[in-house]
Amino acid sequence: MKEQFSKLFGLTERSNGDEVKQIPVEDIVTSPYQPRTLFDEDKIDELCQTIKTHGVIQPIVVRIRNSKYEIIAGERRWRAVTKLGMETIPGIVREFNDSQAASIALIENLQREGLTSIEEAVAYQKLIDLHQLTQESLAQRLGKSQSTIANKIRLLHLPEEVKLALMERKITERHARALLSLDTEELRIKVLGEIIAKELNVKQTEARIAFYKESSKIKKSKRVSYTKDVRLALNTIRQSIDMVSGSGMAINTTENDHEDHYEIVIRIPKR
């Protein structure tokens, strides 16, 4: 299936003519395009046990950059081998440009479990940018719905604090999507703190958000009422000034809008 996805992006990770060679572990560096930022150590340990028993069944894929082997696919295998203290790992050296290297790294990780929703969202956005795709065309190539892609990418608009909480799995994607309905970054961060501190589930979070939104509506309503009263007072004063000016008196006025009040100065000549 992964090979099929690679072909949909005009890529192939391996061909029959590729030579598998033993690559020194110390000469290998990670990819700057790796979407996965958190690696489950328990899963790495499980992989270590498998490698102890069966060896590295599938070679990693690398490219040569700055006299080092940069991982294109297989970082988990490399981490496990490193943890085991092995000196070499089977690998295939391929020639990829930056765009191809990034695409393969992204696609490979999207086909595996364990990516956080933020890592997945970043991977989708990078594929869209790399291949100049729409969300709909990306969804078709990955066999997903357009709404799935859109909902993931929307998470990238959340404050950094919320994205970090998602990365650390302190909140779920459903929590995060609920926070998107709030208008301000400040309020999103405030509710995030309540979710974590009070261990709110999604239903409780949605109820809390509904409360804040209703409170915001009431405050706005009060502000609008007050603004209308001020506008009415200003219009009344201006109309009065116009009436006096219409009688032939040269009235001079200045208006100043201050932070907490509006000032109108009226100068009426004595002569």
Side-chain angles (χ1 to χ4, degrees), residues 8-22:
L8 286 173
F9 287 88
L11 305 164
T12 54
E13 182 181 311
R14 183 176 181 181
S15 67
N16 294 331
D18 286 329
E19 177 188 356
V20 178
K21 58 185 295 185
Q22 293 296 323

Side-chain angles (χ1 to χ4, degrees), residues 28 76 87-88 92 157 164:
I28 297 173
R76 289 176 68 254
E87 294 184 357
T88 63
I92 299 168
H157 299 297
L164 180 61

Side-chain angles (χ1 to χ4, degrees), residues 20-260:
V20 178
K21 58 185 295 185
Q22 293 296 323
I23 301 174
V25 171
E26 64 180 4
D27 291 339
I28 297 173
V29 295
T30 57
S31 169
Y33 308 110
Q34 166 66 262
R36 190 186 300 271
T37 57
L38 298 176
F39 287 83
D40 188 329
E41 286 303 316
D42 290 337
K43 297 291 185 183
I44 297 294
D45 288 339
E46 290 176 10
L47 185 54
C48 285
Q49 291 302 317
T50 300
I51 291 174
K52 277 183 180 179
T53 304
H54 304 286
V56 180
I57 299 174
Q58 183 180 4
I60 65 172
V61 179
V62 298
R63 66 172 180 166
I64 297 177
R65 282 293 179 275
N66 300 318
S67 301
K68 292 286 186 178
Y69 296 95
E70 181 185 290
I71 298 174
I72 302 299
E75 184 170 339
R76 289 176 68 254
R77 279 162 274 164
W78 171 75
R79 284 176 177 265
V81 164
T82 302
K83 197 167 189 176
L84 288 171
M86 297 172 61
E87 294 184 357
T88 63
I89 184 173
I92 299 168
V93 182
R94 299 292 307 275
E95 292 185 8
F96 290 121
N97 59 36
D98 289 348
S99 176
Q100 292 171 324
S103 295
I104 290 178
L106 294 168
I107 294 167
E108 188 214 24
N109 278 279
L110 284 172
Q111 303 316 308
R112 298 182 182 276
E113 296 181 358
L115 281 184
T116 66
S117 53
I118 286 295
E119 289 171 331
E120 196 173 343
V122 169
Y124 290 149
Q125 187 60 60
K126 284 184 177 178
L127 283 173
I128 286 174
D129 295 339
L130 281 168
H131 299 279
Q132 299 182 332
L133 302 172
T134 63
Q135 291 182 5
E136 184 177 1
S137 59
L138 177 64
Q140 290 174 348
R141 296 189 189 201
L142 295 178
K144 297 181 180 292
S145 68
Q146 191 272 337
S147 61
T148 296
I149 302 295
N151 286 333
K152 294 286 186 186
I153 290 178
R154 285 180 65 217
L155 298 176
L156 299 178
H157 299 297
L158 288 165
E160 291 301 320
E161 291 87 343
V162 180
K163 289 191 280 190
L164 180 61
L166 267 173
M167 290 283 292
E168 296 177 346
R169 305 185 192 277
K170 292 180 179 179
I171 62 172
T172 68
E173 182 179 342
R174 289 183 63 196
H175 281 107
R177 285 169 62 180
L179 290 173
L180 281 167
S181 65
L182 291 168
D183 293 333
T184 67
E185 181 171 310
E186 180 182 4
L187 197 49
R188 289 171 177 175
I189 294 173
K190 180 178 181 179
V191 176
L192 169 67
E194 294 181 8
I195 294 171
I196 296 174
K198 299 178 181 179
E199 298 183 351
L200 302 180
N201 60 31
V202 175
K203 188 173 182 180
Q204 291 169 327
T205 298
E206 290 173 342
R208 194 66 182 153
I209 288 172
F211 167 77
Y212 280 118
K213 291 172 76 172
E214 187 61 31
S215 298
S216 178
K217 286 181 182 179
I218 293 173
K219 289 180 181 178
K220 286 181 180 179
S221 176
K222 288 182 179 179
R223 284 200 299 269
V224 171
S225 176
Y226 175 76
T227 301
K228 287 181 179 177
D229 291 341
V230 171
R231 189 181 298 117
L232 178 61
L234 291 173
N235 286 338
T236 301
I237 293 171
R238 287 166 181 157
Q239 288 172 5
S240 299
I241 293 172
D242 289 341
M243 288 177 60
V244 176
S245 297
S247 67
M249 185 173 289
I251 296 179
N252 180 264
T253 65
T254 57
E255 299 186 17
N256 297 296
D257 190 354
H258 298 282
E259 185 175 347
D260 59 345

